[in-house]
Amino acid sequence: MRLFLNSGHVSEESLELHVLGDLLESYAPDVDRHLQGCPRCRMKLAEISEFVRRFRLFAKQLRLSDSSLSAHTTCPR
């Protein structure tokens, strides 16, 4: 995994891991320091955060609808 791209910006993979809380602790200070001064990476981080938030909400709704279906489905004998 590349923490930074040749352009000096944080890689999208690193931003994704950061949002998910899976970025190595030793990398987090460098990413956070870069984010403080880089509006471009902050914007990308916000986009990824919103995607993850919506995905988790959708997954939660899917689980709820699946459990609702299961409760109303009878097994044929």
Side-chain angles (χ1 to χ4, degrees):
M1 174 191 83
R2 292 183 62 185
L3 187 59
F4 290 95
L5 302 172
N6 291 337
S7 63
H9 294 284
V10 179
S11 72
E12 191 166 327
E13 179 185 11
S14 296
L15 291 172
E16 290 167 359
L17 291 171
H18 192 53
V19 166
L20 296 171
D22 290 336
L23 186 66
L24 292 175
E25 286 183 35
S26 59
Y27 293 158
D30 291 334
V31 171
D32 290 335
R33 192 171 19 263
H34 178 82
L35 288 169
Q36 287 176 359
C38 184
R40 178 180 166 185
C41 287
R42 281 196 311 270
M43 183 178 292
K44 188 66 183 174
L45 182 73
E47 290 171 6
I48 293 168
S49 295
E50 180 62 13
F51 175 83
V52 168
R53 185 191 71 76
R54 289 177 183 222
F55 184 84
R56 287 178 172 159
L57 180 62
F58 177 72
K60 182 179 178 180
Q61 289 171 342
L62 224 121
R63 282 192 304 272
L64 289 175
S65 70
D66 280 353
S67 64
S68 175
L69 285 174
S70 298
H72 298 291
T73 304
T74 56
C75 296
R77 294 181 184 210

